[in-house]
Amino acid sequence: MIVDTFLAKVTVKYRKRHSEFPEILLGENAKFDIHTDEGKVIANLYDMEKAKLNIGEQCEGSVSARWIGGMDKSFVEKTSLPILVIGEVIGEVTIHSCSVERTEE
């Protein structure tokens, strides 16, 4: 099975509270969804310069995601991604640099 690992340096922006779960804060090791043409992938935010963000704040950090079966190649060309948590966009990440590593598992 082919697995692509995506790693990126990003700026994380926290735009608004989740309507059903307003206590959710973006912070270290937060998980969020990436929707692609091939389905949904769970991504991790990590290595953020702030442990938690409040509404309207941003910080530098990293994102990692794993694609089972290979990554949608057009995804690598994107410069920003919405942060979807439990089906609702609460922020975005702007990608500064990224790499993709392909392995067989």
Side-chain angles (χ1 to χ4, degrees), residues 16 29-30 37 46 55 68 71 83 85 87 92:
K16 69 178 191 114
N29 296 318
D37 293 340
Y46 67 98
I55 302 298
I68 307 300
M71 168 185 276
I83 298 173
V85 178
E92 80 242 3

Side-chain angles (χ1 to χ4, degrees), residues 1-7 65-71 73 99-105:
M1 160 183 14
I2 294 172
V3 177
D4 286 345
T5 303
F6 172 81
L7 300 170
R66 293 186 53 185
W67 272 257
I68 307 300
M71 168 185 276
K73 298 305 176 198
S99 65
V100 180
E101 180 180 316
R102 177 161 283 183
T103 58
E104 296 257 351
E105 293 186 2

Side-chain angles (χ1 to χ4, degrees), residues 12-17 24-27 48 50-59 90:
V12 181
K13 295 178 185 173
Y14 190 17
R15 294 285 188 205
K16 69 178 191 114
R17 292 199 185 281
I24 293 174
L25 295 177
L26 290 181
M48 292 168 61
K50 294 181 184 179
K52 297 286 182 194
L53 291 179
N54 292 310
I55 302 298
E57 289 184 334
Q58 68 182 42
C59 73
I90 63 171

Side-chain angles (χ1 to χ4, degrees), residues 71-100:
M71 168 185 276
D72 176 354
K73 298 305 176 198
S74 66
F75 174 81
V76 182
E77 299 164 0
K78 295 184 181 180
T79 56
S80 69
L81 295 168
I83 298 173
L84 291 108
V85 178
I86 315 173
E88 194 169 312
V89 176
I90 63 171
E92 80 242 3
V93 293
T94 302
I95 300 169
H96 303 297
S97 64
C98 67
S99 65
V100 180

